[in-house]
């Protein structure tokens, strides 16, 4: 290899590392604004920390007196590892650690410092091969062109097609390749050099594996099904949990179905809880089946008289998320950590079957996913409601989320009929939730309920007069005569499927 | 994947053939000895437990009670080894209705007198799905890609069966009833027992392949042979005798449990008052001086055991009873056909995947070799079921029963396993991946099959008549092996002791 080629290759690596450097910065900024919201704040703090760290890196390079080439290669590998794995690590750590910000900025600082070391080291490696004025001119030219390329690639190609996690692995691999090539080009020899090349190869393989596996984290097609960026995606043994965030709107999707939008969930949850609970003066014990997001519990805790809330949700991943993740506990006011609340992860049907005679509740909230398959359909059956009656204290009441009476009119009235079949008196009502549409609930009890409401203060949607209106059904969603839903006929699932098929 | 072929009785049978077993050195006295702990034997013991004050011994060959209705237990669920459901009992089977009331299967009646069943025990929806043309469809009658003409033929067949179901014979009794012997004796209909079901179907113009597959499947499912192996009367009985009513289910519904009819075995077992001797093979039964001598052998040790009984109920198949009785057995069991069966229980980490409709209780493959599989924990109410047990059924009707029995008895576990996997793989390419364990049972003489000419030949009635102090109770005396038949025969034998 002649001197000219060596020089050219070294300058090409300036270009590559410059691109990589900016990409990591962009990834960190984007990720921070996905996860923490407020993109202006996140971007400027991330850029600030990153640039400052680069300064620290440059300064540190002053302490290096020899072995620049060797150090340069090591730095490339480190950036490849830390930068390449950064997006994946941040996504995972986001839900695992309590103090996410220190982790985020620590990682940014580390990457920035390493990136800051690169150019000074390279300048020194090249200093004998070029005149000073040419050296500075060329190195910075390539540096800035690399930055331009990165800033164009990132929004146009990388984010839409590869996603953050895979992009960061890809650029990590590029850093490693630069490291290996440099070792070759500068003819570093000795046992150290051989070890480096094989070490680099292993690292490359690890990053490649990450790149491939990242598709399982969120697939390209999945990213395209949600209008907003995915900030957390996780498959528990029971369901696919996806959180998205766009313009301040946080949304939870379970198996692709929207569970709530932070913009209007208060309409849903106020309507789920208060029309029933506010007339149950003296209610002390409340049972919540489903509702692992803690949002219904948040509403229940607005009644100081309630002494105990028992939450039963199938999926530990859900309750863990809504107990520990700050953006989510901000939403449910940390309801699941309240000393009044007991969380149990169990199948609601089996839990009810095993409940002892002392398990009696004044108010029960049933907030299951819609009956879109036979497994869920069981939770709306006569057998289920019979079991439910056994945990109801005398004079107690139940409220059930019942899908849309406008879209799935037969399904809604099927649930009503099923409750009546098992001896409940029902009071169906409905409410408009912008992100869902017209939504239905049924208040059920074995004895007639008091009509007097005492709503807690500070509700955003309900008042005594709006509640009254909710119980009126216009002709287009009024009662239809349908079959009762039993375990052995699952009429509800069929109605639900047929009714929703018309609008999908 | 691991597993075994279960069923110790084969080895015991061999031991017996090796030479005359020793005579017992001691004869235990008993008022009644019931030989055979299947449904019929248990029902007899149960009946005796109501009023009989004497001492009763129930002797069973296997280590568990239940016979063809026995069950097993895996981590995910209990599962059946044979019988897995009972259709809603009709008016002709008040004994079964009474049992269901006693066991809480029937919890009450609605205002028009129809029984209310415990929802938990009614087969949960979805009941059945069929794999055809690469997809699962709901229901077992082929619909996907079936021509309008062929579908119309299926409808015509079902309408015809509906008419038969509602018809009575010249004697005013229903044409086809469960138990069989409460059917009409109208010769116009009984005459159909002399020809095969397929002959009748051809003559009546039911020729469409999808329908014929379905009918063949049903006959194999209930009798172990297809439409060309069973009599036309029996074939029609399958479709036209159903129809118990319920306040909360359609009459085509069945009751079932994770253990299959093993659940009923357990409930009966709890209600008997008898000394139960398991793992004991009875090989000789003879009347002697106003008593009955029952000779048996411990299946493990080979040790001889004997009872000196006031009365004996033989709740075993007739070909076995014939051996026990020796000379006194006469021609008992001749002409009765018992096709062999293979039942496999697959413990799966998750349900195997497949295109189309989601898993149902009964999952059948169109033109498959076996009858498909039942999901043992389908009746569980928990909404997310992952681990499970699939009970796969295969009547070994690829050859004449004797030949098929001989062949199957030589199978290694690997061979049997591959038969099962090859059949299921068509619908579930991942079946081998999800299966952790497969236990297989080969029923050499699975259950009696109503071949042409057998049901109304008069032989059954002869065999069912008590001989001196020895009485008989087994489903094969009905010519078809059904819970109701076994149970009612057991109850009646028990009552005969009491009177
Ligand atoms: C694979 C399969 C699936 C079936 N599915 C159904 C179904 O879904 N629904 C239904 O209603 N029916 C079904 N059946 C029919 C089933 O046979 C009957 O429901 C019922 O269990 C028969 O009971 P039984 O008492 O008449 O006979 P068995 O179950 O045959 O009882 C006879 C008993 O005698 C014992 N015995 C035999 N020889 C001796 C001896 N020498 N000494 C001591 N004990 C002895 C046997 O071990 C056995 O326990 C099925 C049968 C099979 C084989």
């Amino acid at each position: 290899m002649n001197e000219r080629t060596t020089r050219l290759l070294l300058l090409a690596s300036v270009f590559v590392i410059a691109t990589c450097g900016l990409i990591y910065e962009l990834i960190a900024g984007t990720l921070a604004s996905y996860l923490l919201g407020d993109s202006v704040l996140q971007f400027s703090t991330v850029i600030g920390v990153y640039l400052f760290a680069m300064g620290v890196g440059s300064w540190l390079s002053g302490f290096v007196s020899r072995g620049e080439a060797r150090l340069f290669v090591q730095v490339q590998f480190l950036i490849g590892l830390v930068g390449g794995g950064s997006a994946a690590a941040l996504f995972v750590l986001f839900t695992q650690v309590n103090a996410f910000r220190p982790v985020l900025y620590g990682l940014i600082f580390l990457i920035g410092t390493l990136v800051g070391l690169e150019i000074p080291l390279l300048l020194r490696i090249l200093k004998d091969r070029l005149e000073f004025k040419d050296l500075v001119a060329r190195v910075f030219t390539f540096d800035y062109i690399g930055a331009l390329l990165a800033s164009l690639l990132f929004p146009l190609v990388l984010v839409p097609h590869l996603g953050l996690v895979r992009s960061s692995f890809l650029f990590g691999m590029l850093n490693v390749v630069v490291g290996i090539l440099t070792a070759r080009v500068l003819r570093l020899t000795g046992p150290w050099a051989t070890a480096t090349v094989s070490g680099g190869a292993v690292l490359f393989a690890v990053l490649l594996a990450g790149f491939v596996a990242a598709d399982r984290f969120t697939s390209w097609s999945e990213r395209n099904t949600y209008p907003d960026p995915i900030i957390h995606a996780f498959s528990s043994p029971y369901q696919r949990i996806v959180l998205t965030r766009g313009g301040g709107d946080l949304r939870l999707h379970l198996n692709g179905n929207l569970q709530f939008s932070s913009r209007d969930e208060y309409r849903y949850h106020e309507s789920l809880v208060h029309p029933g609970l506010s007339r149950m003066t003296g209610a002390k014990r409340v049972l919540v089946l489903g509702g692992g997001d803690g949002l219904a519990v948040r509403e229940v805790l607005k009644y100081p008289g309630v002494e105990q809330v028992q939450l039963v949700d199938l999926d530990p991943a859900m309750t863990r998320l809504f107990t520990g993740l700050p953006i989510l506990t901000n939403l449910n006011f940390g309801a699941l950590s309240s000393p009044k609340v007991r969380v149990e992860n169990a199948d609601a049907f089996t839990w009810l079957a095993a409940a002892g005679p002392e398990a009696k509740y004044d108010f029960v909230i049933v907030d299951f996913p819609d009956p879109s398959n036979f497994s869920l359909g069981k939770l709306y059956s006569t057998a289920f409601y019979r079991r439910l009656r056994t945990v109801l204290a005398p004079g107690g009441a139940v409220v059930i989320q019942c899908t849309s009476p406008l879209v799935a009119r037969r399904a809604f009235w099927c649930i009503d009929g099923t409750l009546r079949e098992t001896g409940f008196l029902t009071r169906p009502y409905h409410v408009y939730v912008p992100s869902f549409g017209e939504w239905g609930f049924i208040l059920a009890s074995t004895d007639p309920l008091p009509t007097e409401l005492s709503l807690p203060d500070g509700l955003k949607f309900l008042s005594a007069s709006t509640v009254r209106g909710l119980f009126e059904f216009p002709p287009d969603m009024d009662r239809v005569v349908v079959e009762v839903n039993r375990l052995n006929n699952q009429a509800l699932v069929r109605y639900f499927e047929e009714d929703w098929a018309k609008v999908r | 994947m691991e597993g075994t072929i279960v069923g110790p009785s084969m080895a015991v049978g061999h031991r017996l053939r090796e030479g005359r077993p020793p005579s017992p050195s001691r004869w235990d006295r008993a008022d009644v000895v019931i030989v055979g702990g299947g449904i019929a034997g248990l029902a007899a013991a149960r009946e005796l437990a109501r009023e009989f004050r004497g001492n009763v011994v129930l002797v069973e060959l296997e280590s568990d009670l239940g016979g063809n209705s026995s069950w097993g237990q895996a981590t995910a669920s209990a599962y059946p080894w044979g019988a897995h459901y009972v259709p809603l009992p009709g008016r002709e089977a008040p004994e079964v209705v009474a049992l269901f009331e006693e066991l809480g299967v029937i919890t009450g009646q609605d205002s028009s007198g129809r029984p209310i069943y415990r929802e938990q025990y009614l087969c949960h929806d979805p009941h059945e799905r069929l794999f055809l043309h690469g997809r699962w469809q709901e229901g077992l009658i082929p619909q996907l890609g079936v021509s309008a003409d062929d579908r119309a033929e299926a409808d015509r067949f079902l309408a015809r069966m509906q008419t038969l179901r509602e018809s009575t014979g010249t004697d005013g009794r229903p044409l086809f009833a469960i138990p069989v012997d409460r059917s009409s004796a109208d010769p116009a209909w009984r005459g159909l027992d002399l020809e095969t079901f397929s002959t009748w179907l051809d003559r009546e113009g039911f020729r469409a392949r999808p329908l014929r597959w379905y009918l063949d499947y049903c006959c194999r499912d209930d009798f172990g042979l297809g439409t060309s192996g069973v009599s036309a009367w029996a074939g029609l009985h399958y479709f036209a005798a159903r129809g118990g009513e319920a306040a909360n289910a359609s009459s085509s519904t069945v009751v079932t449990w994770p253990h299959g009819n093993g659940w009923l075995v357990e409930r009966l077992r709890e209600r008997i008052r008898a000394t139960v001797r398991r793992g004991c093979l009875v090989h000789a039964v003879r009347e002697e001086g106003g008593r009955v001598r029952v000779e048996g052998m411990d299946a493990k040790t080979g040790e001889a055991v004997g009872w000196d009984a006031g009365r004996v109920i033989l709740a075993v198949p007739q070909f076995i009873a014939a051996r026990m009785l020796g000379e006194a057995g006469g021609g008992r069991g001749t002409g009765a056909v018992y096709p062999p069966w293979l039942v496999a229980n697959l413990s799966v980490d998750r349900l195997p995947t497949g295109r189309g409709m989601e898993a149902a209780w009964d999952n059948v493959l169109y033109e498959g070799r076996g009858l498909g599989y039942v999901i043992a924990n389908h009746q569980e109410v928990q909404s997310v079921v992952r681990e499970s047990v699939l009970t796969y059924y295969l009547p070994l009707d690829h050859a004449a029963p004797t030949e098929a029995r001989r062949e199957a008895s030589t199978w290694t576990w690997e061979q049997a396993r591959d038969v099962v996997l090859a059949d299921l793989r068509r619908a579930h390419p991942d079946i081998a991946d999800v299966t952790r364990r497969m236990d297989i049972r080969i029923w050499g003489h699975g259950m009696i099959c109503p071949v042409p000419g057998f049901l109304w030949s008069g032989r059954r009635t002869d065999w069912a008549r008590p001989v001196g102090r020895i009485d008989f109770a087994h489903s094969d005396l009905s010519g078809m092996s059904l819970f109701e038949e076994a149970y009612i025969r057991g109850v009646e034998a028990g009552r005969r002791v009491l009177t």
Side-chain angles (χ1 to χ4, degrees):
Chain A
M1 203 183 297
N2 62 27
E3 185 52 30
R4 211 182 121 74
T5 337
T6 309
R7 225 164 43 211
L8 250 174
L9 275 172
L10 288 173
L11 286 172
S13 68
V14 175
F15 175 71
V16 174
I17 59 179
T19 316
C20 293
L22 193 64
I23 293 283
Y24 298 137
E25 185 180 333
L26 290 171
I27 286 175
T30 312
L31 215 140
S33 53
Y34 279 5
L35 297 178
L36 303 172
D38 195 349
S39 53
V40 176
L41 176 75
Q42 303 310 336
F43 260 101
S44 61
T45 48
V46 167
I47 292 174
V49 172
Y50 197 80
L51 287 177
F52 170 69
M54 280 176 69
V56 173
S58 308
W59 173 70
L60 285 175
S61 72
F63 296 95
V64 178
S65 46
R66 58 196 165 80
E68 294 91 347
R70 197 164 142 168
L71 185 64
F72 179 76
V73 174
Q74 284 165 334
V75 166
Q76 286 310 306
F77 287 179
L78 263 179
I79 298 179
L81 178 66
V82 181
S86 61
L90 287 174
F91 269 120
V92 172
L93 289 172
F94 178 58
T95 52
Q96 302 296 320
V97 299
N98 285 332
F100 180 68
R101 271 163 229 261
V103 174
L104 172 73
Y105 290 111
L107 200 65
I108 292 169
F109 189 83
L110 180 62
I111 301 171
T113 311
L114 291 167
V115 170
L117 271 166
E118 286 176 324
I119 299 291
L121 289 176
L122 207 59
L123 283 172
R124 283 160 59 180
I125 293 170
L126 283 166
K127 74 172 189 303
D128 303 327
R129 298 168 197 255
L130 280 171
E131 244 178 79
F132 184 67
K133 70 171 172 35
D134 290 338
L135 175 66
V136 176
R138 299 229 186 128
V139 166
F140 285 101
T141 308
F142 280 108
D143 188 15
Y144 292 127
I145 295 179
L148 174 68
L149 182 71
S151 65
L152 294 177
L153 270 182
F154 187 75
L156 300 179
V157 180
L158 300 177
V159 175
H161 292 283
L162 286 182
L164 294 180
V165 175
R166 293 223 280 173
S167 300
S168 85
F169 279 122
L170 178 68
F171 282 85
M173 288 188 273
L174 286 179
N175 275 118
V176 175
V177 169
V178 167
I180 295 175
L181 283 181
T182 313
R184 278 285 155 96
V185 167
L186 298 178
R187 297 199 196 87
L188 297 177
T189 47
W192 178 84
T194 343
T196 307
V197 174
S198 28
V202 170
L203 192 54
F204 186 85
V206 169
L207 293 168
L208 184 66
F211 181 81
V212 174
D215 206 38
R216 307 216 334 230
F217 180 66
T218 53
S219 70
W220 184 82
S221 61
E222 183 172 61
R223 284 195 301 276
N224 282 311
T225 45
Y226 299 105
D228 298 327
I230 295 177
I231 61 170
H232 177 69
F234 177 72
S235 290
S236 79
Y238 303 103
Q239 56 199 344
R240 180 93 179 135
I241 301 173
V242 172
L243 275 171
T244 65
R245 175 150 192 169
D249 183 16
L250 184 65
R251 288 175 175 232
L252 172 73
H253 307 260
L254 298 180
N255 294 333
N257 299 318
L258 178 66
Q259 296 305 298
F260 68 74
S261 148
S262 62
R263 276 220 187 103
D264 58 21
E265 57 78 19
Y266 65 90
R267 274 189 169 232
Y268 177 95
H269 290 103
E270 285 185 8
S271 307
L272 174 67
V273 175
H274 304 300
L277 190 50
S278 69
R279 59 185 90 208
M280 312 293 298
T281 40
K284 291 197 171 59
R285 299 180 58 174
V286 175
L287 171 66
V288 183
L289 301 174
D293 54 27
L295 297 170
V297 178
R298 176 193 67 197
E299 298 301 317
V300 172
L301 293 174
K302 292 181 179 166
Y303 296 82
V306 170
E307 291 167 4
Q308 192 206 335
V309 184
Q310 171 74 55
L311 178 97
V312 180
D313 190 285
L314 181 61
D315 196 349
M318 270 290 284
T319 46
R320 212 181 308 124
L321 212 57
F322 282 85
T323 311
L325 202 61
I327 41 164
L328 300 178
T329 49
N330 282 346
L331 208 57
N332 66 20
F333 297 164
L336 299 186
S337 309
S338 155
K340 291 181 178 177
V341 177
R342 261 216 328 253
V343 176
E344 219 172 308
N345 294 116
D347 186 280
F349 214 139
T350 352
W351 187 88
L352 281 181
E358 75 294 343
K360 292 276 182 266
Y361 297 89
D362 304 307
F363 192 61
V364 182
I365 297 166
V366 182
D367 192 12
F368 295 135
D370 283 354
S372 57
N373 61 41
F374 292 112
S375 305
L376 289 166
K378 294 179 195 174
L379 299 172
Y380 295 82
S381 63
T382 39
F384 183 82
Y385 294 141
R386 274 195 204 101
R387 291 253 170 102
L388 196 56
R389 277 189 62 166
T390 65
V391 299
L392 209 56
V398 181
V399 67
I400 296 163
Q401 93 80 8
C402 296
T403 190
S404 168
L406 186 62
V407 177
R409 186 168 164 190
R410 288 183 304 164
F412 181 83
W413 292 107
C414 172
I415 302 172
D416 183 76
T418 306
L419 283 160
R420 285 161 177 259
E421 172 78 13
T422 49
F424 278 107
L425 306 170
T426 60
R427 299 217 44 203
Y429 61 98
H430 64 98
V431 60
Y432 180 70
V433 183
S435 60
F436 279 23
E438 203 53 55
W439 215 255
F441 303 89
I442 297 173
L443 188 58
S445 57
T446 47
D447 305 307
L449 291 176
T451 47
E452 197 70 28
L453 306 184
S454 54
L455 291 166
D457 292 336
L459 299 187
K460 289 198 254 183
F461 176 57
L462 288 183
S463 66
S465 62
T466 40
V467 169
R468 232 166 288 125
L470 304 182
F471 289 85
E472 265 154 43
F473 280 78
D476 64 351
M477 7 185 223
D478 210 357
R479 182 182 300 277
V480 278
V481 178
V482 283
E483 268 190 79
V484 166
N485 187 48
R486 308 176 194 278
L487 288 176
N488 54 305
N489 75 354
Q490 296 247 18
L492 176 63
V493 175
R494 296 164 203 277
Y495 291 136
F496 181 86
E497 208 167 76
E498 287 166 19
D499 288 350
W500 278 93
K502 288 183 210 138
V503 296
R504 282 205 184 108
Chain B
M1 185 192 310
E2 35 179 54
T4 50
I5 294 193
V6 298
S9 50
M10 289 206 204
V12 189
H14 287 156
R15 191 191 266 272
L16 197 61
R17 246 165 270 153
E18 278 163 17
R20 249 202 89 69
S23 281
S25 51
R26 195 182 87 213
W27 299 90
D28 291 339
R29 272 185 86 85
D31 293 308
V32 180
V33 169
I34 301 170
V35 182
I39 296 295
L42 284 165
R46 161 78 189 118
E47 202 55 30
L48 290 177
R50 289 180 204 274
E51 288 173 41
F52 189 66
R53 293 286 157 257
N55 89 63
V56 179
V57 177
L58 176 70
V59 192
E60 165 58 45
L61 162 63
E62 307 282 350
S63 52
D64 286 314
L65 296 176
N68 283 351
S69 296
S70 56
W71 59 284
Q73 178 76 53
T75 41
S77 172
Y79 57 78
W81 270 123
H84 57 284
Y85 72 93
V86 182
L88 303 187
R91 235 169 310 168
E92 288 73 38
E95 294 89 342
V96 179
V97 172
L99 174 72
F100 281 4
E101 281 167 350
E102 184 185 331
L103 302 184
V105 175
I106 293 174
T107 56
Q109 289 186 342
D110 71 358
S111 51
S112 50
R114 292 177 308 175
I116 301 168
Y117 280 79
R118 189 178 296 272
E119 196 167 330
Q120 176 62 55
Y121 302 151
L122 289 167
C123 178
H124 296 177
D125 201 19
H127 303 174
E128 300 152 331
R129 61 172 182 168
L130 176 67
F131 185 77
L132 118 130
H133 308 314
R135 289 183 72 82
W136 290 97
Q137 63 150 59
E138 184 161 16
L140 295 186
I141 299 182
Q143 307 287 341
L144 274 175
V146 172
S147 74
D149 283 355
D150 287 358
R151 263 181 284 150
E153 196 173 304
D155 291 342
R156 186 163 67 84
F157 178 83
L158 295 179
R160 183 79 176 273
M161 293 304 114
Q162 184 58 34
T163 320
L164 290 185
R165 207 173 291 147
E166 290 156 5
S167 310
T168 46
T170 45
D171 52 6
R173 287 202 265 163
L175 292 183
F176 302 95
I178 297 176
V180 177
D181 285 348
R182 295 177 194 165
S183 305
S184 167
D186 193 335
W189 291 94
R190 285 200 175 172
L192 291 178
D193 192 49
L194 298 175
E195 65 185 5
T196 65
F197 192 27
S198 57
T199 312
W200 185 88
L201 289 166
D202 287 342
R203 194 173 63 236
E204 299 293 322
F206 295 112
R207 295 208 176 84
R209 180 167 163 176
L211 173 66
R212 288 298 286 266
W213 167 80
Y214 170 68
L215 302 179
D216 207 56
Y217 159 82
C218 294
C219 289
R220 295 176 76 211
D221 189 37
D222 246 35
F223 306 129
L225 293 179
T227 47
S228 52
V230 306
S231 84
W233 195 93
L236 292 172
H237 181 275
Y238 178 94
F239 295 98
R242 298 288 184 263
E245 283 199 312
N248 55 341
S250 72
S251 61
S252 59
T253 313
V254 301
V255 285
T256 185
W257 302 266
H259 328 57
N261 292 359
W263 186 86
L264 292 165
V265 169
E266 291 309 301
R267 299 295 82 75
L268 288 172
R269 190 179 56 80
E270 289 161 4
R271 288 168 168 75
I272 62 177
R273 278 196 289 110
T275 311
V276 178
R277 178 69 166 89
R278 295 161 216 244
C280 179
L281 175 115
V282 171
H283 55 81
V285 175
R286 62 175 186 281
E287 278 199 278
E288 218 175 86
R291 306 277 304 172
V292 190
R293 297 261 169 169
V294 178
E295 279 186 54
M297 183 176 83
D298 188 287
K300 269 209 202 77
T301 61
E303 184 200 337
V305 270
W307 288 274
D308 172 17
R311 311 207 30 186
V312 166
I313 298 173
L314 292 184
V316 294
Q318 302 321 303
F319 69 93
I320 294 179
R323 275 188 228 150
M324 293 174 183
L325 294 172
E327 303 270 283
R332 180 171 292 277
T334 43
V337 176
Y338 303 81
W341 282 70
L342 178 154
V343 178
N345 273 295
L346 288 73
S347 287
V348 294
D349 292 328
R350 58 171 170 78
L351 295 180
T353 50
R355 287 176 50 209
M357 164 154 185
E358 63 186 283
W361 172 64
D362 194 7
N363 305 270
V364 179
L365 281 69
Y366 182 64
E367 297 188 343
R369 175 164 185 192
L371 302 171
Y373 61 90
V374 166
I375 297 178
N377 52 2
H378 181 78
Q379 292 297 99
E380 265 166 35
V381 287
Q382 71 195 53
S383 44
V384 180
V385 171
R386 280 180 291 148
E387 268 187 291
S388 189
V389 180
L390 315 182
T391 308
Y392 170 87
Y393 291 89
L394 170 64
L396 297 167
D397 58 352
H398 58 287
T402 351
E403 208 176 303
R405 185 176 307 129
R406 197 175 315 120
E407 186 196 322
S409 69
T410 66
W411 278 347
T412 62
W413 175 75
E414 285 80 6
Q415 282 170 312
R417 173 201 64 192
D418 291 344
V419 167
V420 178
L421 291 180
D423 192 19
L424 291 179
R425 196 171 285 128
R426 194 158 59 89
H428 300 303
D430 58 345
I431 187 70
D433 305 328
V434 301
T435 308
R436 195 180 338 124
R437 186 177 175 90
M438 189 193 308
D439 289 318
I440 296 169
R441 181 145 194 173
I442 303 211
W443 296 98
H445 295 81
M447 50 169 131
I448 192 155
C449 177
V451 296
F454 179 73
L455 281 174
W456 304 115
S457 63
R459 270 174 283 171
R460 299 188 297 114
T461 334
D462 290 345
W463 300 340
R465 222 170 275 129
V467 178
R469 306 184 149 266
I470 304 170
D471 203 345
F472 302 89
H474 191 269
S475 52
D476 68 351
L477 295 171
S478 300
M480 40 179 91
S481 191
L482 297 173
F483 172 82
E484 302 89 316
E485 303 286 358
Y487 180 74
I488 293 174
R489 294 223 170 245
V491 169
E492 286 175 345
R495 283 186 193 155
R496 282 194 294 267
V497 169
L498 293 174
T499 53

